[in-house]
Amino acid sequence: MPSESTDQHKAIAHSKGPVSVAIVTVSDTRTPETDTNYHYLEPEITGMGHKVVGYRVIQDEPLQVAEALEEMVRSGAQVILFNGGTGIAPRDTTYDVLARKIEKPMPGFGELFRMLSYAEVGAAAMLSRAMAGVYHRRVVISTPGSPNAVQVAWTKLIKPELEHLAWEVAR
């Protein structure tokens, strides 16, 4: 049950207007045409009255991840959503790059995401290095790239707090 101050914060955040969001898909195989995560998230975001101000599909290469992060900061995004590259395979480097950049980690995001994932995929949820934090007064969220993971993160964690997240880091 949200507290009175949480409700007040959410009301203030909502009054600030649309949130600017950027989406980065990390994949060696997806293209803008086949990026099911973008095609899911974009109408979800705009349907809430918010704006998608940046979008890229990149490979899971450390330099591309770092460049995409900086580009999305320059785009004016208040919230930057990365999807893909959070596993433990040698090719998965997104978490490592973002973890080095994050100035204020939000460990609760990853903990809650893995808890929700456990209900769906069991112990395999521990392989996810989903994370969130603050970088240059932007909220950066990184989830696995499976469409189900993106949908769970969006519906259960990000969507209900999107305005509140953007307001908290900017105030």
Side-chain angles (χ1 to χ4, degrees), residues 69-155:
L69 175 62
E70 297 302 331
E71 178 184 333
M72 297 311 152
V73 167
R74 288 189 305 273
S75 77
Q78 297 164 277
V79 177
I80 304 168
L81 305 176
F82 279 81
N83 68 91
T86 62
I88 60 169
R91 188 92 179 105
D92 294 322
T93 65
T94 300
Y95 170 88
D96 305 297
V97 173
L98 295 178
R100 286 191 293 269
K101 298 274 189 179
I102 293 297
E103 299 154 350
K104 288 185 178 184
M106 295 171 39
F109 178 85
E111 294 161 359
L112 288 168
F113 178 80
R114 283 180 284 281
M115 178 193 73
L116 293 167
S117 294
Y118 181 80
E120 297 198 13
V121 299
M126 77 173 110
L127 280 74
S128 165
R129 296 187 297 161
M131 54 94 74
V134 178
Y135 176 70
H136 291 278
R137 297 181 71 166
R138 274 54 171 203
V139 176
V140 178
I141 299 173
S142 181
T143 67
S146 78
N148 187 59
V150 168
Q151 290 173 22
V152 167
W154 173 255
T155 60

